[in-house]
């Protein structure tokens, strides 16, 4: 992965740094990067299909232009080439066109829902937190504009699936470094000292604090597991049954 791409990725994450914790903005950046990746792959396949439909010497040649337009929207033409089908509202050009809308976070969540619905391989994997992200107005739109400069096509001089994995690993490493410098934070339950309230509620609140700690640790483990498995699922290096088996090995 070249240095310009690394700078773009970290600039994207840095736009959110002041608004949320590293553990949260990592998922925002990675989610948008994934959406850009599958949209680029879809567009590249569509370009290939359009060229084939117009080529009289090609097996897929279609003489009628209306038929070509309809065929370019056939889901099977993409899945047969191991390309995710991306519904119209979930395609990057649609996301970018609405980037400055106040409800862009909700639109992205709906786009991810639509992608999961059309691609069972991704069911339950995509992290949909954009609509509830606590961001300054316009910040998500700026981030979309920045991610738009990243190209995930073969014409960019790299293998897109390998690059996506590198993007995930790079951002995970950068965020881990940022979290390490800042130090982890876990909410504490404050007990008033020397009062009857403390005596009565103390045991219950301490149990609650312990549960918060356990849930926090489990959420971190599951988040790291998702970040590890998702690039491998997308690239085909890991199949869904294998991913589920790995998930089931995580302690409850």
């Amino acid at each position: 992965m070249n240095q310009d791409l690394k700078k773009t990725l970290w600039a994207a994450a840095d736009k959110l740094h002041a608004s949320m914790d590293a553990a949260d903005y990592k998922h925002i950046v990675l989610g948008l990067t994934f959406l850009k990746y599958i949209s680029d792959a879809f567009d590249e396949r569509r370009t290939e299909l359009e060229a084939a439909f117009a080529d009289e010497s090609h097996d897929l040649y279609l003489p009628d232009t209306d038929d070509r337009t309809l065929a370019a929207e056939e889901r099977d033409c993409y899945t047969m080439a191991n390309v995710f089908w991306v519904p119209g509202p979930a395609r990057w050009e649609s996301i970018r066109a609405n980037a400055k809308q106040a409800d862009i976070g909700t639109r992205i969540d709906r786009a991810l829902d639509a992608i999961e619905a059309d691609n069972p391989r991704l069911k339950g994997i995509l992290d949909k937190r954009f609509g509830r992200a606590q961001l300054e107005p316009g910040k998500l739109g700026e981030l979309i504009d920045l991610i738009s400069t990243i190209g995930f096509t073969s014409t960019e001089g790299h293998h897109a699936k390998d690059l996506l994995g590198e993007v995930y690993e790079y951002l995970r490493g950068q965020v881990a470094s940022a979290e390490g410098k800042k130090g982890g934070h876990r909410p504490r339950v404050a007990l008033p000292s020397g009062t009857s309230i403390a005596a009565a509620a103390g045991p219950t609140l301490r149990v609650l604090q312990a549960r918060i700690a356990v849930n926090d640790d489990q959420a971190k483990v599951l988040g790291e597991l998702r970040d590890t498995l998702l690039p491998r699922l997308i690239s085909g290096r890991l199949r869904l049954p294998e991913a589920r088996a790995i998930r089931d090995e995580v302690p409850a």
Side-chain angles (χ1 to χ4, degrees):
M1 185 165 56
N2 63 49
Q3 292 300 317
D4 287 341
L5 179 53
K6 288 182 179 180
K7 289 178 182 178
T8 299
L9 289 169
W10 192 241
D14 197 49
K15 279 185 174 293
L16 304 179
H17 187 271
S19 303
M20 57 179 59
D21 290 338
D24 291 323
Y25 70 65
K26 171 183 66 175
H27 297 298
I28 296 292
V29 175
L30 292 182
L32 285 176
T33 301
F34 167 77
L35 194 56
K36 180 64 162 60
Y37 159 76
I38 62 168
S39 191
D40 277 8
F42 178 89
D43 289 343
E44 187 170 31
R45 174 60 177 168
R46 187 187 184 95
T47 299
E48 293 172 357
L49 290 170
E50 289 172 343
F53 296 153
D55 184 355
E56 293 184 9
S57 65
H58 200 284
D59 292 340
L60 296 178
Y61 171 68
L62 295 172
D64 187 82
T65 55
D66 289 338
D67 288 342
R68 294 175 194 172
T69 301
L70 291 173
E73 287 293 325
E74 286 289 336
R75 182 178 182 275
D76 290 347
C77 289
Y78 298 85
T79 57
M80 67 185 291
N82 201 31
V83 173
F84 290 117
W85 169 255
V86 183
R91 294 171 193 171
W92 190 258
E93 65 267 23
S94 178
I95 297 296
R96 188 174 187 182
N98 291 285
K100 302 303 189 290
Q101 299 297 318
D103 65 343
I104 183 60
T106 301
R107 289 173 186 254
I108 294 172
D109 286 340
R110 287 201 298 260
L112 294 173
D113 278 331
I115 290 169
E116 283 191 345
D118 274 311
N119 300 276
R121 183 171 151 195
L122 295 175
K123 188 66 176 177
I125 293 176
L126 305 183
D127 193 344
K128 297 174 282 291
R129 64 174 69 200
F130 294 88
R132 64 179 187 274
Q134 300 297 314
L135 294 173
E136 298 173 14
K139 189 67 70 175
L140 191 52
E142 293 176 18
L143 187 57
I144 290 169
D145 288 342
L146 191 56
I147 297 290
S148 295
T149 65
I150 303 174
F152 289 103
T153 65
S154 57
T155 58
E156 302 289 333
H158 51 245
H159 194 290
K161 291 178 180 178
D162 290 342
L163 180 62
L164 181 66
E166 290 179 21
V167 167
Y168 270 68
E169 291 303 316
Y170 173 74
L171 281 174
R172 286 180 63 203
Q174 291 293 320
V175 169
S177 175
E179 288 177 326
K181 291 175 181 177
K182 184 179 66 174
H185 171 70
R186 180 169 287 161
R188 303 293 300 176
V189 178
L191 297 176
S193 59
T195 68
S196 58
I197 295 176
T204 300
L205 292 177
R206 278 188 284 272
V207 170
L208 179 60
Q209 182 67 52
R211 288 179 180 174
I212 290 173
V214 170
N215 289 340
D216 188 45
D217 291 339
Q218 288 180 339
K220 184 177 181 180
V221 170
L222 290 173
E224 291 175 352
L225 182 63
R226 180 192 57 243
D227 291 345
T228 300
L229 295 182
L230 185 55
R232 294 166 63 189
L233 280 166
I234 293 169
S235 67
R237 295 194 297 270
L238 183 70
R239 299 301 177 188
L240 195 54
E242 296 169 329
R244 285 174 176 156
I246 295 173
R247 178 203 62 190
D248 292 341
E249 291 176 3
V250 177

